[in-house]
Amino acid sequence: MVLVDRTNHHLFQPLLYQVATAGLSGSDIAQPVRTILRGQRNLHVHMAQVEEIDLAGRSVVFDFQRYRLEYDYLVIALGVRTNYFGNDQWAKHALGLKSLADAYAIRERLLAAFERAENLPDNHAERTRQLTTVVIGGGPTGVEMAGACVELGRRVLKPEFKSANLSETRVVLIDAGQRLLSTFDPELSERAKRDLERMGVQVKLGVRVEEIGEGYVVAGGERYEAATIVWGAGVSPPPLVKTLGSQGVALDKSGRIEVGTDCAVAGQRGVFAAGDIASCTDGAGVRVPGLCQGAIQMGDHIGRVIMADVAGKRDAVKPIKYRDKGTMATIGRSSAVADVGGWKTGGFVAWVLWLLVHLIFLIDLRSKMTVMLKWIAAYVFYKPTGRLLDAPKA
Ligand SMILES: Cc1cc2nc3c(=O)[nH]c(=O)nc-3n(C[C@H](O)[C@H](O)[C@H](O)COP(=O)(O)OP(=O)(O)OC[C@H]3O[C@@H](n4cnc5c(N)ncnc54)[C@H](O)[C@@H]3O)c2cc1C
């Protein structure tokens, strides 16, 4: 068995925003895959970028074309990447949040902006720009980022800055749709908006971004001067998946790989796709969502199908059945929204539920313990841990 990943770690993406806002460190939410799979004797791990999937040749090519590996079974689980909807030039100004590197880049920009604001006691306009963050996209990533950014400035860092008044920290959350958290129940969307506004976030709905440049965003005809711009508005499959389309694999209209109820790619013996990159409708006609639970359940199912196939009993495996374990998003300290098994709740109860669920799903005991202790310390002392900045590059 061979696992190829361009990074050397498993990343728990739901807590990335806390790394981006200095609440946690990267190593709290990511673990080396070699460590996680240490006990798996028959597994080889390669840290390398897969450059080609050759379905006719039943092989994948990686490590700068140096390594061609033939397969009997292939599971494609490449995930998705930040999508700027044809405006890739925005990427250097509006930072996406998909990887640890993305989270570190946002954190550096955010913390450096607070520091610069402190050095500008006499320049009101520039100080205001440094204290402004624009978050684009009102899904869970945007909502969580907006809440965490405003709290970081107005509550956590405020007592430590003397000439910049961090209660002037401004966060603008922009979405083209008519409500936040569009996949949630409308009541929870409304609740999230109310709670964010109460915390000081300016929520702009039904507003389209027209232009992004160095330190500014133009949206709905209005110009926002902002030192930090975060993009959480969309994702799309990586280019490698497009090459599968030209090899006869069916892709849906967003470019994801179509799979059957066995998570297999039609017409390609032994080839499966799982997670965000797969477009799957389960045996009961339910779309498997691009969420952690979707990825985990598809991965488990593929494991069962392959084992059965090897034993010559593939027909004995029932179609995948997605078990919806609920959705939740945190808004800030003591505030979240959750929809679990039809039970819709918000505020403190949802927040405690959110904390527990995220602790449970962290990959190992060390991460669970570290994150729990850091959360308790942050709640009691208001002191985030991941705040170190190096000297800016000359
Ligand atoms: C900021 C954020 C917050 C989220 N919050 C939630 C949440 O609260 N709840 C929830 O359920 N879901 C959440 N999600 C979604 C969830 O993280 C994904 O659904 C899940 O990670 C999908 O798993 P995956 O294995 O398909 O993809 P990923 O976890 O993205 O893994 C893909 C892997 O493929 C590797 N890879 C990609 N291309 C190559 C290549 N060419 N060669 C080698 N390796 C490659 C990557 O390095 C990565 O390790 C969130 C996602 C983000 C980004």
Side-chain angles (χ1 to χ4, degrees):
M1 194 162 23
V2 181
L3 175 71
V4 187
D5 199 296
R6 64 184 172 192
T7 73
N8 74 341
H9 54 262
H10 165 274
L11 175 64
F12 188 57
Q13 291 174 350
L15 290 180
L16 259 182
Y17 85 95
Q18 294 215 354
V19 177
T21 51
L24 293 173
S25 309
S27 58
D28 299 334
I29 65 162
Q31 292 298 317
V33 277
R34 289 185 194 282
T35 308
I36 298 168
L37 298 166
R38 187 181 246 168
Q40 190 87 30
R41 290 253 182 89
N42 61 344
L43 177 77
H44 293 262
V45 175
H46 293 283
M47 179 183 158
Q49 171 101 10
V50 172
E51 290 131 14
E52 188 187 335
I53 299 174
D54 174 4
L55 295 173
R58 297 186 66 74
S59 58
V60 293
V61 179
F62 54 90
D63 200 15
F64 304 99
Q65 301 284 325
R66 282 188 289 242
Y67 207 140
R68 176 176 287 270
L69 186 72
E70 291 184 4
Y71 61 79
D72 297 313
Y73 296 98
L74 174 68
V75 182
I76 306 168
L78 296 163
V80 284
R81 59 182 202 152
T82 305
N83 181 9
Y84 291 89
F85 304 113
N87 296 293
D88 289 351
Q89 73 280 10
W90 292 351
K92 70 172 186 256
H93 309 297
L95 305 175
L97 185 60
K98 280 298 293 174
S99 64
L100 277 183
D102 292 343
Y104 292 144
I106 293 174
R107 186 176 73 185
E108 195 173 322
R109 208 174 272 190
L110 198 57
L111 294 179
F114 288 123
E115 297 296 339
R116 276 195 299 271
E118 183 79 342
N119 300 340
L120 295 162
D122 304 322
N123 186 342
H124 178 71
E126 183 55 22
R127 200 178 59 233
T128 305
R129 194 172 75 86
Q130 295 299 335
L131 293 181
T132 301
T133 299
V134 172
V135 180
I136 301 155
T141 302
V143 165
E144 295 182 338
M145 271 305 296
C149 285
V150 79
E151 266 187 352
L152 182 66
R154 290 192 185 191
R155 296 180 81 167
V156 179
L157 298 182
K158 186 173 170 259
E160 299 180 12
F161 284 71
K162 299 294 179 279
S163 53
N165 178 3
L166 265 54
S167 48
E168 288 171 7
T169 300
R170 181 184 183 215
V171 177
V172 184
L173 176 59
I174 296 174
D175 194 282
Q178 292 306 320
R179 64 182 175 102
L180 297 175
L181 304 174
S182 60
T183 55
F184 286 56
D185 183 89
E187 233 174 80
L188 295 180
S189 301
E190 197 42 49
R191 169 103 200 214
K193 178 170 179 282
R194 221 174 39 235
D195 285 0
L196 281 174
E197 286 175 338
R198 191 177 36 78
M199 289 160 62
V201 175
Q202 289 173 258
V203 180
K204 306 274 176 186
L205 295 176
V207 168
R208 247 171 222 293
V209 170
E210 288 135 21
E211 193 187 331
I212 301 176
E214 180 72 47
Y216 73 89
V217 175
V218 180
E222 208 172 322
R223 184 177 164 110
Y224 300 90
E225 302 290 338
T228 311
I229 306 166
V230 179
W231 182 268
V235 289
S236 61
L240 190 56
V241 172
K242 255 197 196 151
T243 68
L244 297 176
S246 48
Q247 295 178 64
V249 170
L251 306 179
D252 73 6
K253 64 178 188 310
S254 58
R256 290 176 163 81
I257 302 169
E258 299 264 20
V259 294
T261 54
D262 52 358
C263 301
V265 177
Q268 303 290 342
R269 187 169 49 84
V271 180
F272 301 83
D276 288 359
I277 198 59
S279 174
C280 178
T281 302
D282 79 359
V286 174
R287 296 282 303 163
V288 180
L291 292 171
C292 293
Q293 275 306 318
I296 293 168
Q297 291 178 31
M298 290 174 91
D300 280 347
H301 193 76
I302 292 170
R304 279 193 292 275
V305 172
I306 293 176
M307 296 288 282
D309 198 51
V310 170
K313 295 177 182 163
R314 183 155 174 172
D315 291 344
V317 183
K318 291 193 184 124
I320 186 171
K321 181 157 186 347
Y322 178 66
R323 286 178 304 282
D324 183 358
K325 298 195 175 170
T327 46
M328 43 185 73
T330 180
I331 294 156
R333 191 183 158 92
S334 308
S335 172
V337 287
D339 181 347
V340 184
W343 178 50
K344 297 171 191 32
T345 181
F348 186 73
V349 174
W351 183 69
V352 172
L353 205 60
W354 180 93
L355 292 177
L356 290 175
V357 166
H358 284 73
L359 281 178
I360 289 167
F361 283 107
L362 275 163
I363 194 92
D364 69 341
L365 187 63
R366 188 194 62 79
S367 306
K368 292 179 209 284
M369 300 291 289
T370 317
V371 169
M372 188 174 70
L373 290 175
K374 284 189 178 181
W375 281 348
I376 292 170
Y379 194 79
V380 177
F381 303 113
Y382 272 101
K383 280 188 189 148
T385 49
R387 279 184 48 200
L388 304 183
L389 278 181
D390 231 324
K393 289 183 193 82

